[in-house]
Each structure stands twice: as C-alpha cells, then as structure tokens.
Amino acid sequence: MSEMDPHIELIDRYIRGELSGLELQAFLTKLQSEPAFKAQVEQQEKIAALVYAFGHAQMKQYLRQKTRHRGVFSLSNKTKYYAAASVLLIAFSTAIILWKINPEAGNKMPLTAKGDTLSAEKKEVITMAKEQARGNDNGDTSKNTEVIAQNAENNLPPAIEELNDDEFTASAESPEPIVIASNIQAVAISLNSPVMSQKSMKEETAEMKPARKFKTEAEVAKPTTSRIDDNKYVTENGGTGYKMPETSRTKKQVLRFSFTFLESIEKTPAVEIDKYNDIYFVRCFNIVYGNPLVYEWQNRYFLHSGIKTYELKNLPLQNGQKTPVSAAQEVTDPAILSLIGR
Amino acid sequence: MQIFTISDERVLTICEMSETTTGKDQQWLERLQSGDQEVLVLLYKNNHTMIRSYVLKNQGRNEDAEDLLQDALIVLWQKVQQENFVLSSKLSTYIMAVCKNLWLKRLGKQQRLEGEDKILPHLHVTADNFSEISDFKHLQKAMDEIGETCKKLLMMFYFDGNDMEQIARKMQFANADTAKAKKYQCFKKLETLIKSRFNKSDFIG
C-alpha cells in the first residue's frame, strides 16, 4: 500500500465524478498548473475508458449472442404443440386430396378413422398451426412479436386456389370470427368448427373442394395434362378442378398489430390506435397484459388480453390515421365471447 | 364513457409513480446485483415487443430496437450495481424509460452515454468510438493477460461502477483496502501492457 501512487485514487474519483466542491476545485487547479499531473490524468482516463469500452463491448456481444440465438424467440411450448399439430394437418389434408383425386384409393385409406379422431378442438389447433407455419415461413423473427393474420372475406363461394407445394387452404364460407393478431405469435385462429362429427366432417370436406396445385402455363402445355377451358384443369393425377376467376377468388387481407401496454393514473381501460406502414399500433391503457389477440367478426374487431375482451372501434384505419384515446368497452355479450371461445 | 388524452411522456411518468416493483422484479434485481447476466437475456425477451413497438413508431427499425434494448439493459446493469440504486417502478417501466431517453438522444444525434447514464462522467471516450482509438484485439489480449481476477476487478470498478467495498464483498477480499491494493496492481499491470502494445499516438497522450 505504501508504494501506491496517491494520485491514482484521486484521479479515479475525478473520473467517476465523485469529487465536488473544494476538492474538485483543488483538483482542477492542479490539473491546469501541473503538466505532469495533467498527463497522468489523461493517461488514466484513457485506460479507464478502454476498460469501460471493453466491458460495454463484451456485454453487448453477450446480449447479441444470447438474444439472437433462436432460443430466445423460438417457439413456445404451446407453439411447438401447434407445429406438431400442423404435421397432422398436412397428413390429413394430403389424405383428403388423394381421396378426392382418386376416390377408389381413398376408400382404402383410413380417412374416416382420421376424421373420427380429429376433434373440433384439434381442428382449431391445426388451423392455428397452419397459419403459424405460414407466418414463420419467411424466417422473419419479427413475426414472433408482430402479428400477421388473414382476414378472409365472408360469404364467398368455395374457391380452389393456386397453392404452393406445402400449402393447403380453403376459402372461408361463413362469417365466423377469425383471430387477427397478437403481439406474441403470428397466429390466425379460425373458430368455425363447433362440433366435427364424422358426418359433418365428410360433408365439410365434400363442400370445401380440396385445394389442388395447378400447373403453370408451360406445365399445362405438357402432354401429361390438358387444359380444358379457361378455368377448368386436369391434373396429373387425373382429377379435375376449376380455377376461380381472379375477381371472385377469396382475397386475403393481412393485418398487422403491434401492442403496447401502459398504465395510467386513470384506471379506466382505454385504447389508442394509429396505423403506419400498414401496421396498427395499439396502445392499451390499463388493460391487463396477457397474450393479446385480436379477433375480427362481421367487420367488428375485438381485443382479448388476459381474461377480458374489448371492442376496438373505428377499425380499419388508413395509413396515417389515428383514433383518439378512448375508453375501451369490455365485451360482455356471451354470444360474442362464446364465438371467440371465452 | 371517459375520454382522455395522455402524451406518452406523461403516461410514463405516471406509470413510474403509480407502479411498484413486483416480487419478480425484486428477484431479478437481486440476481443482477449478484452478477447474473442471464437475467439480462430474460429482460430482453420480456421487453422486446414493447421496445420494438416504440422504436418502430418513432422512425426506427427492428435493428434499432434490438440495439436500443441491449444498451438500455447495459445501463440497467450498471445502475443496479450501484449501492444507492432504488427501483421505484416496475423493471419494464424503468427499461422503457431508459430506452426512451436513449432513443430521443439518438434521434437528436446526441451521444449515447451522456449525463446520468454515464458511469464515468468525465470520460470523453465511449464504447461507440472505441474502435477508433485502439485495436480491440490488442486490448482483449491485454485484458486476458492481466488475468481473470484483474480483468473482473477492473471491469467492476470502471464499467460496473462498483466502489471498493462492493468489490471486496463480491470478490471476497478481506476488506476495501485489500481491494484497493489489488486494483492498483491490476491497473499498473494493464497500463504496462497497454504501453507496450499500443502506439503512443493512439493511446498514451
């Protein structure tokens, strides 16, 4: 201790902003009057700065590594369950497609058995998983915190759509509520499957007209397929299908929501919404945070967070449009609550 | 139906006043104070959505939000290490407030580590211009060469802002004087290494 340079501690205190009053005054005077002391201060400042910068860089690197690791924003257990359910969906939809394309072969397949085991709840989960998978396809991690959902127009006739290889879909047939958004996961939940008995499952699959992958113009020209008319196609497997005209096909609107939950001294639940770059920014005041989801039903929008559901009024908005902060009305209508499964 | 308008800033202030720390926050604070960096990752995960939403709404991008939140957590880390740190709001509210301050400074093209967020107020060198003043690899090597104990001690002193008593307690030295002596040795060791490695014009004034 006796060999210690007494200036080092003093300079450290200066660097850390611990000097004040007369002590600081004396230090500054010494700094100005003694070049050797000034040089020592500068040198010590730089070493301190290096250590500081080193610490900052190390911690930043640590956070980058840890937070960019897939594990941080990877799927939750619930979502993993949905993902697993999506495998079931693919298997089931493939079975339907094959069955429709080749009914004889289909009869040999255990389709009814699958239908039996597919409860309404599972079907819902599968639908969610399908949409979840779509949301995650592009690898955009923002999908985990920002929601994309599909709002199918209601009351349109069943349509067959051109699909990607791994995609299967059918148009919405009834004005049932659809989950539009949550700020946690890119999930869209279709709740149009009240009870899925074996019979109703068969009826539904018959009505839905399973989606098939249509070929491009060039592929259609190949001998294996033939184009019958403008809208009718024969697939490689011998099945036929109709491509709906562009104007009558189901159009899907993508709505993105981003939520901020705030509390104010007024305890009244309220929301303020504005829309920029096609994203709805919803600021929720005094609304309990808990896996928020937005449902659309008959052009009405409902935010469910925690255990309560509120109606979001004045939606949809145009870009740049903003709703004032207004009290959020809690939905108590059991009909609506039952539709969204609460 | 009550209608009211509150600016973001006011909401934040009100939140800070009306909210209190939760038991979970307290646990996390204690873990942070004991040097558990894993808590930062949890806090990042829990607050990412909120901060991202704020940044996107205020002329920022996803990358900005990530960077901002990382910096805010570093500020939190440093603050928590200080003995007199008292959290009077929820952790998430505190993080949001720090993010807001940092973001407003960035928008105003101000330096990030100014004012009360700066642990070493008289330093004019920040992590931002770190690469300009020295070669990171040289410093990393020098820091490695002084040994793990010295590295930890100097970082606790200059980066975390701990005082000698805290360092003595955390590093299990006999007392603050022992910590001070050890810090002196470590500082001198690093100084010697740096003087031998770095160009005089780059580093030693």
Side-chain angles (χ1 to χ4, degrees), chain A residues 37-68:
Chain A
F37 181 68
K38 189 180 177 187
Q40 188 181 356
V41 170
E42 286 175 356
Q43 187 168 310
Q44 195 165 328
E45 270 187 334
K46 285 176 182 174
I47 291 176
L50 279 177
V51 175
Y52 183 93
F54 180 80
H56 193 275
Q58 272 214 330
M59 188 158 278
K60 190 112 179 170
Q61 193 180 4
Y62 169 81
L63 280 171
R64 277 189 189 138
Q65 281 175 351
K66 289 281 184 181
T67 55
R68 284 186 182 167

Side-chain angles (χ1 to χ4, degrees), chain A residues 64-304:
Chain A
R64 277 189 189 138
Q65 281 175 351
K66 289 281 184 181
T67 55
R68 284 186 182 167
H69 188 272
R70 188 167 172 76
V72 171
F73 289 117
S74 63
L75 302 179
S76 63
N77 287 337
K78 191 178 172 185
T79 314
K80 282 174 186 168
Y81 175 65
Y82 296 154
S86 68
V87 175
L88 284 176
L89 171 74
I90 293 166
F92 180 65
S93 54
T94 307
I96 294 175
I97 293 169
L98 291 174
W99 179 67
K100 290 298 286 183
I101 290 171
N102 189 352
E104 287 185 7
N107 289 338
K108 295 170 188 173
M109 290 165 34
L111 179 64
T112 52
K114 286 197 177 207
D116 283 338
T117 56
L118 198 68
S119 66
E121 190 181 331
K122 278 186 181 174
K123 191 170 190 299
E124 179 185 319
V125 166
I126 285 169
T127 312
M128 291 168 70
K130 185 178 73 173
E131 300 299 338
Q132 175 78 52
R134 280 186 193 153
N136 290 333
D137 273 346
N138 61 5
D140 182 2
T141 54
S142 67
K143 296 284 168 54
N144 291 312
T145 53
E146 186 180 83
V147 172
I148 293 178
Q150 296 178 343
N151 173 18
E153 285 186 357
N154 295 325
N155 299 320
L156 288 173
I160 298 174
E161 296 182 280
E162 290 186 9
L163 299 170
N164 296 327
D165 289 340
D166 56 351
E167 202 174 18
F168 173 81
T169 190
S171 63
E173 291 179 294
S174 59
E176 299 292 341
I178 293 173
V179 173
I180 290 175
S182 89
N183 64 344
I184 305 300
Q185 297 165 349
V187 177
I189 306 171
S190 171
L191 298 169
N192 57 354
S193 54
V195 178
M196 195 62 66
S197 65
Q198 182 179 338
K199 187 181 173 186
S200 63
M201 175 69 82
K202 280 185 179 176
E203 284 170 356
E204 180 169 313
T205 52
E207 286 170 7
M208 280 168 62
K209 291 188 182 177
R212 296 166 191 169
K213 182 174 183 290
F214 288 99
K215 294 184 171 296
T216 61
E217 293 286 337
E219 287 173 320
V220 168
K222 289 180 184 175
T224 52
T225 58
S226 62
R227 185 169 177 168
I228 297 171
D229 57 41
D230 282 348
N231 293 322
K232 191 172 183 181
Y233 291 86
V234 177
T235 67
E236 271 182 306
N237 295 317
T240 57
Y242 288 90
K243 178 183 174 184
M244 297 299 287
E246 196 68 40
T247 51
S248 66
R249 276 206 259 164
T250 301
K251 290 179 182 174
K252 290 179 178 176
Q253 185 186 349
V254 175
L255 297 183
R256 294 168 168 224
F257 284 80
S258 181
F259 296 97
T260 306
F261 286 80
L262 298 163
E263 285 184 32
S264 65
I265 203 159
E266 296 92 345
K267 293 300 177 188
T268 314
V271 291
E272 181 187 38
I273 309 171
D274 51 4
K275 186 181 179 187
Y276 292 103
N277 296 329
D278 295 327
I279 299 173
Y280 289 92
F281 292 95
V282 185
R283 282 175 290 288
C284 306
F285 300 94
N286 309 314
I287 291 178
V288 175
Y289 172 81
N291 193 23
L293 296 169
V294 175
Y295 295 81
E296 184 271 342
W297 180 63
Q298 293 185 341
N299 295 324
R300 292 171 69 189
Y301 296 83
F302 303 97
L303 164 65
H304 183 84

Side-chain angles (χ1 to χ4, degrees), chain B residues 110-133:
Chain B
Q110 292 178 26
Q111 282 197 342
R112 198 178 316 183
L113 300 166
E114 281 184 350
E116 60 178 4
D117 295 333
K118 202 167 173 181
I119 296 297
L120 306 178
H122 292 284
L123 284 187
H124 306 294
V125 181
T126 68
D128 284 346
N129 55 17
F130 174 69
S131 59
E132 294 169 16
I133 60 165

Side-chain angles (χ1 to χ4, degrees), chain A residues 1 3-5 8-9 12 14-17 42-60 62-64 66-68 72-73 140 142 145-146 183 258-268 270 274 281 283 285-286 313 325-327 329, chain B residues 1-4 6 11 14-15 19 37-38 40-41 44-45 48-49 52-53 57 62 66-67 70-71 74 77-78 90 113 120-123 125 127 130 133-134 136 139-140 143 154-155 157-159 161-163 177 180-181 183-184 187-188 190-191 194-195 203-205:
Chain A
M1 290 290 288
E3 295 173 2
M4 276 177 63
D5 181 348
I8 286 186
E9 190 186 349
D12 274 339
Y14 166 73
I15 290 172
R16 289 159 64 100
E42 286 175 356
Q43 187 168 310
Q44 195 165 328
E45 270 187 334
K46 285 176 182 174
I47 291 176
L50 279 177
V51 175
Y52 183 93
F54 180 80
H56 193 275
Q58 272 214 330
M59 188 158 278
K60 190 112 179 170
Y62 169 81
L63 280 171
R64 277 189 189 138
K66 289 281 184 181
T67 55
R68 284 186 182 167
V72 171
F73 289 117
D140 182 2
S142 67
T145 53
E146 186 180 83
N183 64 344
S258 181
F259 296 97
T260 306
F261 286 80
L262 298 163
E263 285 184 32
S264 65
I265 203 159
E266 296 92 345
K267 293 300 177 188
T268 314
D274 51 4
F281 292 95
R283 282 175 290 288
F285 300 94
N286 309 314
K313 294 189 174 175
V325 178
S326 56
Q329 197 173 6
Chain B
M1 190 174 287
Q2 188 185 359
I3 309 289
F4 56 93
I6 308 170
V11 167
I14 291 168
C15 285
E19 291 178 351
Q37 293 188 351
E38 281 293 322
L40 295 177
V41 180
Y44 184 98
K45 184 182 169 186
H48 181 263
T49 304
R52 183 171 175 275
S53 170
K57 198 178 70 180
N62 281 335
E66 288 175 13
D67 198 45
Q70 285 164 3
D71 284 341
I74 292 173
W77 170 269
Q78 292 174 323
K90 278 185 182 175
L113 300 166
L120 306 178
H122 292 284
L123 284 187
V125 181
F130 174 69
I133 60 165
S134 67
F136 183 78
L139 177 65
Q140 196 164 26
M143 290 292 279
L154 290 178
M155 278 175 53
F157 186 76
Y158 288 115
F159 179 67
N162 287 315
D163 59 31
D177 285 338
K180 199 185 289 181
K183 185 251 159 193
Y184 180 81
F187 181 84
K188 282 290 173 192
L190 181 66
E191 188 182 40
I194 284 175
K195 276 181 177 174
F203 180 68
I204 305 299

